[in-house]
Amino acid sequence: MTIKQFKDSPLAHYSYAVVSEGKMALIDPSRNPLQYYQYAEEQDAKIVAVFETHPHADFVSSHCQVREQTGANIYVSKLLGADYEHQAFDEGDTVKMGNVKFKALNTPGHSPDSITIVAKDDHRTALFTGDTLFIGDVGRPDLREKAGNMTAKRVELAKAMYDTMQNKYNDLPDDAIVYPAHGAGSLCGKNMSTDSSSTLGYEKKYNWAFQEQTEEKFVETILKDQPFIPHYFGFNVDVNKTGADNVQQTKAAVKLKLLTEKVESGITVIDVRDGDKYKENHLPNSINIMARNEDDKYETWLGAIVKPEEPFYLVVESVKQISDILERTAKIGYEKQLRGILTLPKEAFQTSEEFNLHDFREHKDNYTIVDIRNQSEVAEGKIFDSALTIPLNELRERANEVPANKPIVVHCAGGYRSTAGASILENFFHKTDVFDLSEDIKKFN
């Protein structure tokens, strides 16, 4: 078998194509299936199967679109309760494709309906572990308390993960290659390696979750210091359970409005331009979530700040960005909420106050400092002792906790998030100056 790994860098998501004797199977495909179709053409292979290890929380899968366009069968656990046409694939079930035999292992822990796909040919074994087993870690067990066909409390799932790690992988060869659905940078775990694959033997030796320990200790460790949960995670679980619409069609339905001077009041505007451009000229009620390149976590912060089904506009610097920003927005299923994509004329609408770094450095007590880093970052140490700490993903809901009697300075760890945080508070405070410390934070930490 030939295995191709695809990486979506902003979401640290891995998907896979397995090819054998002119047939192809996909595992955990991302929203736009065209990259897999192109690879199928290169391999002269027909896509006949799509395996979903579980209903993902951080991205929308293209499994239903692939089935519609290729006729491939979708294989998922019966525990998922999928609303789309599929074939149940649970422990004891197998699927033959060319020279490859696929076998299911029920591996609950990240979710109650998680499965590991075991793919084997005459020469090797590959394990597509979804969000159960990562390289150096395991999937978080706290995402299914409010979403999906089977909801489960985090402690219950943590105990299920303990059982999975103790028992489910014991009969597999040590040289089996481990291919996870996510890597370092994903919010689906906390201490993942930057490596994109491993072997089962290596993980059994070095991954903390395989080490001998009590269930109580395992549960305590896995639940400690997990990352925040963005608003969109439960929404994506439900979309993936139902099956998403054709992404080319939903993107094409988004309206474009050029040189826009105003939008209806009360509708959020997400401005994806560089922070300096935003500060010079932006529409009222805008939030600056930069989408300059793949290093920017635009998808994550869009889904953490804007709630599912909340209508919003997108502002881009140029029409050249439209295709890319629509693609990135659709990854999390938010393209249907879009009222339109906008460009702005060059005249200023609203500008952000210019920050006097020297005055701040000399007179910090004259400012209210708001630290919008995550709780785990703050736990490692505050940069300014007097700072009020509110994580960025909670800032819109908790802005009223920020006092308005002094100018406000917003900071994060490196400058990316603070542009969004400052713009959120600008919308809330109309008589108090709000400043973005931006990359100048590096002069203090």
Side-chain angles (χ1 to χ4, degrees):
M1 61 180 163
T2 300
I3 298 173
K4 167 80 170 177
Q5 183 182 67
F6 299 82
K7 183 178 182 181
D8 180 343
S9 295
L11 291 172
H13 164 227
Y14 297 119
S15 55
Y16 302 90
V18 179
V19 180
S20 178
E21 297 182 355
K23 296 179 180 179
M24 181 185 293
L26 303 178
I27 295 97
D28 294 330
S30 55
R31 181 72 193 275
N32 193 336
L34 294 184
Q35 61 183 332
Y36 311 115
Y37 297 168
Q38 181 178 338
Y39 184 65
E41 285 183 348
E42 294 170 2
Q43 296 293 312
D44 193 25
K46 177 178 174 58
I47 300 174
V48 298
V50 182
F51 295 96
E52 288 284 291
T53 57
H54 65 294
H56 296 273
D58 68 315
F59 72 94
V60 171
S61 173
S62 60
H63 50 287
C64 285
Q65 183 173 342
V66 173
R67 183 200 65 211
E68 172 196 333
Q69 295 178 325
T70 69
N73 291 321
I74 302 175
Y75 297 92
V76 298
S77 170
K78 64 183 178 183
L79 300 176
L80 194 157
D83 298 327
Y84 49 81
E85 184 180 334
H86 66 279
Q87 294 190 24
F89 196 56
D90 293 280
E91 212 148 303
D93 295 330
T94 59
V95 174
K96 193 81 163 55
M97 186 195 77
N99 196 35
V100 182
K101 184 178 182 180
F102 294 95
K103 182 176 73 171
L105 288 179
N106 289 102
T107 50
H110 173 69
S111 67
D113 40 32
S114 288
I115 56 174
T116 290
I117 313 297
V118 182
K120 189 173 183 180
D121 65 6
D122 295 334
H123 306 288
R124 57 177 170 161
T125 301
L127 308 178
F128 300 97
T129 55
D131 288 1
T132 299
L133 173 60
F134 294 135
I135 311 306
D137 198 8
V138 289
R140 62 190 299 178
D142 57 345
L143 299 182
R144 289 294 290 275
E145 293 181 313
K146 298 178 182 178
N149 181 58
M150 292 183 66
T151 58
K153 296 187 184 302
R154 60 189 66 192
V155 173
E156 293 172 0
L157 279 176
K159 291 179 178 179
M161 183 68 85
Y162 176 77
D163 181 70
T164 289
M165 302 311 293
Q166 290 288 313
N167 301 307
K168 291 293 185 174
Y169 297 107
N170 292 345
D171 297 331
L172 296 165
D174 281 350
D175 63 357
I177 305 171
V178 175
Y179 289 114
H182 289 94
S186 167
L187 291 177
C188 294
K190 57 182 177 179
N191 292 312
M192 288 174 269
S193 169
T194 55
D195 294 339
S196 59
S197 63
S198 183
T199 64
L200 184 60
Y202 186 91
E203 292 306 304
K204 285 182 175 180
K205 187 173 182 180
Y206 295 106
N207 189 316
W208 74 270
F210 275 116
Q211 306 314 307
E212 186 174 342
Q213 57 197 299
T214 64
E215 180 184 74
E216 182 181 17
K217 179 63 176 176
F218 182 94
V219 170
E220 177 187 350
T221 302
I222 197 174
L223 292 179
K224 184 180 179 182
D225 297 332
Q226 286 290 357
F228 72 96
I229 301 174
H231 291 309
Y232 81 98
F233 268 25
F235 169 71
N236 274 193
V237 169
D238 291 337
V239 169
N240 284 322
K241 176 182 175 294
T242 302
D245 291 336
N246 181 302
V247 72
Q248 279 74 35
Q249 293 175 1
T250 56
K251 288 192 300 181
V254 177
K255 296 177 181 178
L256 171 63
K257 298 184 179 183
L258 300 176
L259 303 179
T260 303
E261 296 184 359
K262 65 178 181 178
V263 297
E264 59 266 46
S265 62
I267 302 297
T268 299
V269 178
I270 301 299
D271 194 319
V272 304
R273 297 174 300 156
D274 184 78
D276 291 338
K277 292 280 188 182
Y278 173 85
K279 288 165 187 168
E280 292 172 2
N281 176 31
H282 57 265
L283 290 169
N285 202 32
S286 294
I287 299 174
N288 186 203
I289 306 177
M290 294 185 287
R292 301 163 300 187
N293 52 54
E294 287 193 340
D295 292 332
D296 292 339
K297 297 288 187 180
Y298 162 77
E299 295 89 334
T300 297
W301 290 111
L302 176 66
I305 293 171
V306 177
K307 293 183 178 180
E309 302 182 4
E310 176 186 351
F312 66 99
Y313 286 100
L314 279 176
V315 171
V316 295
E317 173 70 18
S318 164
V319 293
K320 295 177 182 177
Q321 290 180 279
I322 292 172
S323 177
D324 179 65
I325 201 65
L326 261 179
E327 183 80 2
R328 296 183 71 172
T329 302
K331 286 183 197 176
I332 64 169
Y334 269 32
E335 78 281 7
K336 286 186 175 183
Q337 299 167 217
L338 263 175
R339 288 287 182 90
I341 295 183
L342 316 175
T343 62
L344 304 184
K346 295 191 184 301
E347 302 86 39
F349 300 109
Q350 188 169 310
T351 58
S352 300
E353 293 293 328
E354 190 169 340
F355 182 50
N356 187 327
L357 180 62
H358 175 75
D359 185 72
F360 173 73
R361 189 188 294 273
E362 297 298 318
H363 307 287
K364 296 186 188 69
D365 291 343
N366 292 342
Y367 297 83
T368 295
I369 304 173
V370 183
D371 181 348
I372 61 168
R373 295 177 302 156
N374 300 331
Q375 291 178 351
S376 59
E377 295 172 283
V378 175
E380 294 177 1
K382 296 178 73 172
I383 299 171
F384 303 103
D385 291 338
S386 63
L388 175 66
T389 59
I390 304 177
L392 175 56
N393 61 298
E394 301 175 14
L395 192 59
R396 285 180 85 191
E397 292 76 27
R398 297 176 58 190
N400 61 347
E401 298 177 23
V402 180
N405 61 326
K406 300 178 185 177
I408 298 165
V409 175
V410 181
H411 82 84
C412 59
Y416 174 78
R417 287 171 287 176
S418 61
T419 62
S423 59
I424 288 171
L425 293 182
E426 266 189 355
N427 296 333
F428 189 83
F429 295 101
H430 300 293
K431 296 182 180 180
T432 303
D433 289 337
V434 178
F435 300 107
D436 170 20
L437 189 52
S438 191
E439 294 185 0
D440 285 329
I441 186 62
K442 297 172 185 176
K443 298 175 182 178
F444 295 91
N445 57 13

